[in-house]
C-alpha cells in the first residue's frame, strides 16, 4: 500500500536557524497537506499542495511539492520558539489517509 | 463554534472492559475518521467513514469497531481493550472525502489500558 516516509524524526535548532522536513512517497500523490501539532495539542491544518512543482509561502514557512508529485518539503526560515511542535504531511485519495511519521522540532532560545 | 469534540479526554481502564470513545462534529461534515498516535509512529488511521452508514478500515483496524448512524457522530468502540491499545486517539472530520479537504481534529483522548 501507499507509504509516506518523513524525515528527520527529530530536529533541534538554535533560534534563528532554518529547519526543513521532507516527505517522500513511493507512488504519485494526488495532493499533499501539511499539519502542525503543538505539544499537548491536536494537529492543525497548515496548507495543501496540489500541482506538480507547486511552491506556497506563509510568512517564514515555504512549502514545495515535487515535480513528480512524489515528495514534498516544509522549510522554516529563521525559526522562533513559537515554531516548536511536530509537523506532519498527509496524503490520501477518496478515503484512506496516510500521515508521515512526523518531524518534531525543538527550538533553543 | 465549529468544532470536533471527543469524550472522555482521559481514560484509564483495565484489560477486557468494553469502552466507547465518542466523537461529534457540528460542521455537517461528510467524512470522519479515527487515528491513534504513538511515539515514533505518527498518526495511523484506524477507521474512516465517507458518510452515514458507510465505514471502512484504515491501516490499523484490529481490535476496534465504529458506527456512523448519524452524520455528526462517529464513536470508536473497543470491545475488549488490551494494553497495546494504550495510546492517544484523535477523531477528525472534513467536508468531503478525506484526501481533498482540510481535516479538523478533536482535542484527543488519552487511553491507558492496564
Amino acid at each position: 500500500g501507499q507509504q509516506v516516509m518523513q524525515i528527520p524524526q527529530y530536529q533541534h535548532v538554535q533560534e534563528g536557524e532554518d529547519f526543513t522536513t521532507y516527505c517522500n512517497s513511493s507512488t504519485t500523490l494526488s495532493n499533499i497537506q501539511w499539519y502542525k501539532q503543538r505539544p499537548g495539542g491536536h494537529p492543525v491544518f497548515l496548507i495543501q499542495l496540489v500541482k506538480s512543482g507547486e511552491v506556497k509561502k506563509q510568512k517564514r514557512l515555504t512549502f514545495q511539492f515535487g515535480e513528480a508529485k512524489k515528495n514534498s518539503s516544509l522549510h522554516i526560515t529563521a525559526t522562533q520558539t513559537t515554531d516548536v511542535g511536530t509537523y506532519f504531511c498527509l496524503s490520501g485519495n477518496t478515503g484512506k489517509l496516510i500521515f508521515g511519521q512526523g518531524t518534531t522540532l525543538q527550538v533553543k532560545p | 463554534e465549529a468544532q470536533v469534540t471527543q469524550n472522555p479526554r482521559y481514560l484509564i481502564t483495565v484489560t477486557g472492559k468494553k469502552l466507547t470513545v465518542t466523537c461529534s462534529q457540528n460542521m455537517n461534515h461528510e467524512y470522519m475518521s479515527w487515528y491513534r498516535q504513538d511515539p515514533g509512529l505518527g498518526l495511523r488511521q484506524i477507521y474512516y467513514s465517507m458518510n452515514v452508514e458507510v465505514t471502512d478500515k484504515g491501516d490499523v483496524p484490529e481490535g476496534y469497531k465504529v458506527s456512523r448512524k448519524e452524520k455528526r457522530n462517529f464513536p470508536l468502540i473497543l470491545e475488549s481493550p488490551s494494553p497495546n491499545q494504550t495510546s492517544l486517539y484523535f477523531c477528525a472530520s472534513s467536508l468531503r472525502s478525506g484526501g481533498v479537504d482540510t481535516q479538523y481534529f478533536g482535542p484527543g483522548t488519552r487511553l491507558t489500558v492496564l
Side-chain angles (χ1 to χ4, degrees):
Chain A
Q2 181 182 11
Q3 284 189 328
V4 177
M5 304 301 295
Q6 186 172 358
I7 56 170
Q9 189 173 355
Y10 298 99
Q11 184 98 55
H12 297 250
V13 299
Q14 196 75 36
E15 189 173 21
E17 291 181 338
D18 292 357
F19 159 78
T20 306
T21 174
Y22 302 89
C23 281
N24 297 290
S25 171
S26 55
T27 59
T28 302
L29 305 171
S30 56
N31 65 80
I32 195 158
Q33 298 178 351
W34 285 91
Y35 290 77
K36 177 183 179 181
Q37 182 179 21
R38 294 182 189 275
H42 58 274
V44 175
F45 175 79
L46 292 175
I47 209 158
Q48 176 166 278
L49 305 170
V50 178
K51 299 176 185 175
S52 168
E54 190 169 16
V55 178
K56 287 188 177 180
K57 293 192 175 185
Q58 288 180 350
K59 297 183 180 177
R60 294 176 296 103
L61 278 60
T62 302
F63 304 84
Q64 296 192 38
F65 203 7
E67 293 289 343
K69 299 183 75 173
K70 288 186 175 182
N71 58 76
S72 181
S73 64
L74 158 58
H75 179 82
I76 302 178
T77 304
T79 54
Q80 300 175 357
T81 54
T82 53
D83 296 325
V84 164
T86 301
Y87 294 85
F88 294 97
C89 60
L90 170 65
S91 185
N93 39 47
T94 53
K96 205 165 185 179
L97 301 184
I98 307 292
F99 276 91
Q101 295 88 343
T103 297
T104 298
L105 173 64
Q106 301 271 25
V107 180
K108 190 183 294 186
Chain B
E1 179 191 354
Q3 59 183 346
V4 178
T5 56
Q6 291 179 231
N7 282 291
R9 294 289 313 280
Y10 303 90
L11 179 60
I12 301 174
T13 189
V14 295
T15 298
K17 187 176 180 182
K18 181 179 178 179
L19 67 92
T20 299
V21 184
T22 65
C23 173
S24 184
Q25 51 91 7
N26 62 0
M27 296 172 278
N28 201 36
H29 283 174
E30 288 185 355
Y31 182 91
M32 297 185 75
S33 57
W34 276 102
Y35 301 86
R36 59 178 291 172
Q37 185 174 26
D38 302 290
L41 298 176
L43 288 145
R44 294 178 292 167
Q45 192 178 49
I46 302 171
Y47 269 95
Y48 62 93
S49 171
M50 303 279 277
N51 214 325
V52 175
E53 301 291 1
V54 180
T55 63
D56 211 341
K57 296 177 181 178
D59 275 339
V60 289
E62 294 78 21
Y64 305 94
K65 284 176 57 177
V66 293
S67 68
R68 188 93 181 272
K69 294 189 173 74
E70 309 163 278
K71 200 170 189 179
R72 65 183 295 130
N73 297 321
F74 190 44
L76 179 70
I77 303 154
L78 284 73
E79 296 261 353
S80 184
S82 61
N84 64 13
Q85 293 178 298
T86 292
S87 187
L88 178 58
Y89 291 86
F90 287 102
C91 178
S93 72
S94 65
L95 186 60
R96 296 161 301 181
S97 62
V100 177
D101 289 337
T102 302
Q103 300 297 308
Y104 294 87
F105 284 83
T109 295
R110 188 164 292 281
L111 172 65
T112 301
V113 183
L114 302 175

